[in-house]
Amino acid sequence: MSLSILSRMQSSCRSLLRTKCNPVISLRQQLFPSSCTTHLTIQSRGMASKKHKRVIKQAKGFRGRANRTFKAALQRLEKSWQYAYRDRKQKKRNFRKLWIERINAGVRQHGMSYSKFINGSMHSGCELNRKVLADMAANEPFSFKAVVDVVKMMNVRRMSNK
């Protein structure tokens, strides 16, 4: 480095210590006054990779930066996959609960409890699952009554044999 540049740097460092401004910009302005402009240049980048495009496309509809920036979108996507995995299991549980509630409501109209009905239907050889029984209880009350009557009859026979 030439002596003139070193002397300029030393004097600019001394002046920076006295002033409270951004040291990087003011040092650049003092060392190279002709090359500095007031605005900063924007970095230009190449095309986004195929992976980035795919992740951003999948993150469509997310809030905030999660639908624009790759890193945030990837984190949100991974979390959404966790929620989807968990909720596929919960969906099965919720439907089973709903079927049990519907069967219970239908069976109680005919004077039985749910537990006695299910126990009796297993022993009577009735091969209707909870989904079908719940649908019958809600949409076909006469068919459901016939099933309940068969289960009641089989319960009575089973109790008399003991």
Side-chain angles (χ1 to χ4, degrees), residues 77-128:
L77 272 177
E78 286 174 356
K79 193 65 176 176
S80 72
W81 295 332
Q82 290 173 3
Y83 288 142
Y85 178 81
R86 179 198 67 190
D87 291 340
R88 281 194 296 274
K89 313 296 179 226
Q90 283 186 347
K91 182 180 175 184
K92 293 170 182 66
R93 287 180 225 151
N94 291 339
F95 269 109
R96 185 180 167 96
K97 264 196 238 177
L98 177 68
W99 297 332
I100 289 171
E101 288 170 6
R102 286 182 178 172
I103 295 169
N104 190 19
V107 165
R108 288 197 184 272
Q109 289 177 346
H110 301 293
M112 267 184 105
S113 70
Y114 170 79
S115 61
K116 287 182 182 173
F117 173 75
I118 290 295
N119 186 30
S121 68
M122 281 193 232
H123 284 98
S124 68
C126 175
E127 294 190 10
L128 298 174

Side-chain angles (χ1 to χ4, degrees), residues 55 65 70-80:
V55 167
R65 285 185 317 135
F70 173 75
K71 187 176 179 182
L74 191 60
Q75 290 171 350
R76 285 286 86 207
L77 272 177
E78 286 174 356
K79 193 65 176 176
S80 72

